[in-house]
Amino acid sequence: MAYPDELLVEGERVVLHTRPHWKMLVLPVLVFLVVVGAASFLAALVSAQSWAPVAWVALAVVGAVLVGRFTVLPFVRWRTTHFVVTTRRVLVREGVLSRSGMDIPMSRINTVQFRHTVAERMLGCGTLVIESASDEPLEFTDVPAVEKVHSLLYQEVADDA
């Protein structure tokens, strides 16, 4: 999905638009599988009881709440988080009901760094650290292909200078 052109200033173009790495979704998917499996097992256990319909409704409600909180909410958060590099700035947009955003002009960026663990290297993601005129560096975790993003961002900062 391309970043909306109406949110860009005149002469600005999107160089990179990405979401956080999919590894953020591994735990929510595991929670979904465990909740569905446990609810199915418990539903089968109580099926011979006279109060089984009440237990099934309770299991469905508890399962829906757990799946909503620990699977759907993280997925929606992942889906609505955007990391965008344009020719003039770095933008981060997050949120569903209440949105928040941050823009860093290329001219204000002093240093661009990245780091990733061995596991993150195997998955192809990492943390991007941008030092700008602000007091402390800004860290963006779970950036896909962080080394390429680092190089691209460095190139854009150099072009801006």
Side-chain angles (χ1 to χ4, degrees), residues 23 112-122 124-131 137-150:
K23 81 171 188 164
V112 181
Q113 303 173 9
F114 72 91
R115 66 174 177 268
H116 45 196
T117 63
V118 172
E120 288 174 330
R121 286 180 69 187
M122 289 190 300
C125 64
T127 301
L128 187 69
V129 181
I130 299 176
E131 291 183 25
L138 302 167
E139 292 191 7
F140 303 101
T141 58
D142 297 326
V143 176
V146 71
E147 289 186 52
K148 290 180 182 176
V149 173
H150 170 264

Side-chain angles (χ1 to χ4, degrees), residues 16-124:
L16 171 77
H17 177 209
T18 188
R19 288 190 176 82
H21 194 267
W22 57 263
K23 81 171 188 164
M24 288 181 65
L25 300 175
V26 170
L27 188 59
V29 167
L30 290 176
V31 167
F32 174 78
L33 294 173
V34 167
V35 167
V36 169
S40 300
F41 177 74
L42 293 173
L45 277 180
V46 300
S47 63
Q49 305 299 323
S50 61
W51 44 270
V54 173
W56 291 338
V57 169
L59 284 170
V61 168
V62 170
V65 168
L66 290 173
V67 166
R69 168 63 181 92
F70 296 107
T71 300
V72 174
L73 189 60
F75 175 77
V76 170
R77 190 174 299 128
W78 173 81
R79 186 83 172 105
T80 58
T81 299
H82 302 272
F83 181 81
V84 181
V85 177
T86 72
T87 53
R88 294 189 180 180
R89 57 191 166 148
V90 175
L91 301 95
V92 177
R93 300 289 186 263
E94 300 175 306
V96 181
L97 299 176
S98 64
R99 301 270 301 159
S100 65
M102 177 183 1
D103 295 3
I104 307 168
M106 291 293 179
S107 61
R108 307 276 293 187
I109 295 176
N110 298 330
T111 308
V112 181
Q113 303 173 9
F114 72 91
R115 66 174 177 268
H116 45 196
T117 63
V118 172
E120 288 174 330
R121 286 180 69 187
M122 289 190 300
L123 292 172

